[in-house]
Amino acid sequence: LTQNALFGMGNPLLDICAVVDKDFLDKYGLKPNDQILAEEKHKEMFEEIVKKFKVEYHAGGATQNSVKVAQWMIQEPHKVATFFGCIGKDKFGKILKEKAEEAHVDAHYYEQSEEPTGTCAACITGDNRSLVANLAAANCYKKEKHLDLEENWKLVEKAEVYYIAGFFLTVSLESILKVAKHASENNKIFCLNLSAPFICEFFKEALMKVMPYVDILFGNETEAAAFAQERGFETEDIEEIAKKAQSLPKENKKRQRIVVFTQGKEGTVMTKGVETFPVLEINQSEIVDTTGAGDAFVGGFLSQLVQDKTFEQCIRAGHYSANVIIRHAGCTFPEKPDFH
C-alpha cells in the first residue's frame, strides 16, 4: 500500500455532540434521525446546546470521518488517506488539524479567514442522532485556490480510490467533477455517498451530473427512498432501487457500478448480483451513539477496497468499523482495530 492511495474531499466540521431531550428537538423543529444544513432559526441552537447540555467536541465531517476510519483500519503505512477541505484560521481549525494528524491522515486544508471553521451539532436522543451542520468555512472551498494548485493536484493523481460524500455537492460541484473525470479517464475507482435526503431532493441536478462517473454509490435506507422518489423509480423495495441506481448511465464502461445501501440494524444491500449481508449483532445497551456509523461503514469498506480485496470483504470490514464506532461517542475509536 502506498501513501495517498485513498483520496477524500469534503466538509471538515467540528462535531458538537450532546445527549438532548425531545423538547430541544421540538424547539428547533428537528427530526430525531436526520441531517440538515443550519438555517437562521438554528443560530441560537449552537449556543444553547453548549450551555444546556454536556457537550463533547469531536473532529467530524462525513468524508473526513470515513478517511480517518479507513486509515485506522489500515494502520500502516501512515498517510494512505489524503483529505482536502476548507477551514478557518481559528481554534476549531487548529483542533481539526491536530486530530487529522493524530489519525495519520494526510490532510491539506485550504485555510481562509473570512469564515470560521464549520461545526455540526449532533443532537442525540436514544440511538438516534439529528445532525445540524453550520458549514461556514467548509462552504468556502475553491477549486482554483486549492485543488488546481500543482502540489495538491499531484496528490489527487497519486490516488487509486476516491471518495466524496454527497454533502460536498452543495459546496463545489466543479471540484467534484474534476476529480471524478480524472478517476474515470484513468480507470480508477470513484465513490460517492447520497449522504442525506435533502441532497437527493434539492441538489439532484448536481448529483445527476456526477452520477455518470460514480463506480460505487453508497447510501442508507432513507436516502435510497428519497433518491428513488426524485428519480421517479416506481418502487419502494430497496433491492429494486439499488438495481435501478446501478443501471443509470455510466461513463467508464470498464467498471460496472456497484450500489451499496445500509439499513441500520437490517442487512446491507449490495448489487453484485443483488445480495443482502447481515450486520454484526449488538446489544441495544452497548450502543453509545450512532453518530458516524454510516461514515465508519464507508471507511471500513474503503480500507479493503484500496487493498484490492473482494467486495464481500469490503462489506465485512464496513460492518466491523460501524459496530466499533457505535460503542463510542462521536466518530471515535480505540487505538487499534481487531478485524480479521
Side-chain angles (χ1 to χ4, degrees), residues 18-29:
V19 175
V20 303
D21 48 37
K22 190 176 177 304
D23 291 346
F24 185 80
L25 294 184
D26 293 345
K27 180 176 177 180
Y28 293 103

Side-chain angles (χ1 to χ4, degrees), residues 289-301:
D289 158 18
T290 56
T291 309
D295 300 336
F297 170 81
V298 172
F301 191 102

Side-chain angles (χ1 to χ4, degrees), residues 89-328:
K89 295 180 177 171
D90 51 25
K91 185 182 81 178
F92 284 174
K94 199 164 160 275
I95 294 174
L96 286 186
K97 285 203 278 195
E98 285 164 5
K99 292 290 181 193
E101 215 166 295
E102 282 168 25
H104 306 301
V105 167
D106 195 13
H108 294 258
Y109 296 112
Y110 168 47
E111 297 180 50
Q112 49 74 60
S113 33
E114 275 80 79
E115 285 280 344
T117 297
T119 50
C120 178
C123 310
I124 300 152
T125 51
D127 59 354
N128 288 323
R129 51 100 192 99
S130 197
L131 307 177
V132 184
N134 179 23
L135 296 182
N139 207 20
C140 302
Y141 190 84
K142 300 277 184 289
K143 173 176 167 288
E144 60 286 354
K145 293 263 178 76
H146 194 261
L147 186 69
D148 291 347
L149 302 184
E150 193 185 350
E151 68 272 24
N152 291 335
W153 187 250
K154 278 204 170 102
L155 291 169
V156 176
E157 291 179 325
K158 273 179 84 173
E160 293 298 325
V161 174
Y162 301 84
Y163 174 66
I164 299 177
F167 291 124
F168 202 58
L169 287 164
T170 75
V171 174
S172 183
L173 175 62
E174 56 282 12
S175 296
I176 299 176
L177 285 171
K178 183 174 181 180
V179 171
K181 286 174 180 169
H182 167 79
S184 182
E185 285 158 13
N186 294 278
N187 195 27
K188 296 171 173 183
I189 302 175
F190 181 80
C191 315
L192 185 79
N193 203 316
L194 293 174
S195 292
F198 84 84
I199 297 290
C200 304
E201 290 161 30
F202 305 113
F203 293 89
K204 57 180 166 194
E205 271 177 51
L207 178 62
M208 293 320 287
K209 281 197 175 116
V210 179
M211 196 58 73
Y213 304 102
V214 177
D215 296 302
I216 303 179
L217 180 69
F218 293 102
N220 67 20
E221 73 280 30
T222 43
E223 294 146 15
F227 183 70
Q229 205 171 351
E230 290 304 322
R231 300 294 332 134
F233 297 165
E234 293 183 346
T235 177
E236 286 177 15
D237 179 83
I238 193 154
E239 295 195 348
E240 282 304 310
I241 296 169
K243 270 194 265 192
K244 287 190 183 282
Q246 181 179 37
S247 59
L248 289 167
K250 191 165 185 308
E251 275 299 307
N252 178 9
K253 305 279 190 269
K254 295 186 190 131
R255 294 181 187 278
Q256 188 188 25
R257 181 178 297 122
I258 303 279
V259 179
V260 183
F261 289 149
T262 60
Q263 310 181 76
K265 60 179 177 294
E266 303 302 323
T268 298
V269 172
M270 176 169 69
T271 60
K272 250 203 104 228
V274 178
E275 255 189 279
T276 301
F277 299 82
V279 301
L280 296 163
E281 291 285 313
I282 186 167
N283 222 319
Q284 197 68 22
S285 63
E286 293 172 67
I287 299 177
V288 172
D289 158 18
T290 56
T291 309
D295 300 336
F297 170 81
V298 172
F301 191 102
L302 295 172
S303 75
Q304 306 304 299
L305 186 67
V306 78
Q307 299 180 71
D308 283 329
K309 298 289 200 287
T310 66
F311 286 115
E312 289 71 19
Q313 178 79 346
C314 292
I315 286 197
R316 281 188 48 235
H319 286 168
Y320 169 78
S321 306
N323 186 277
V324 169
I325 281 346
I326 60 181
R327 297 165 192 270
H328 296 80

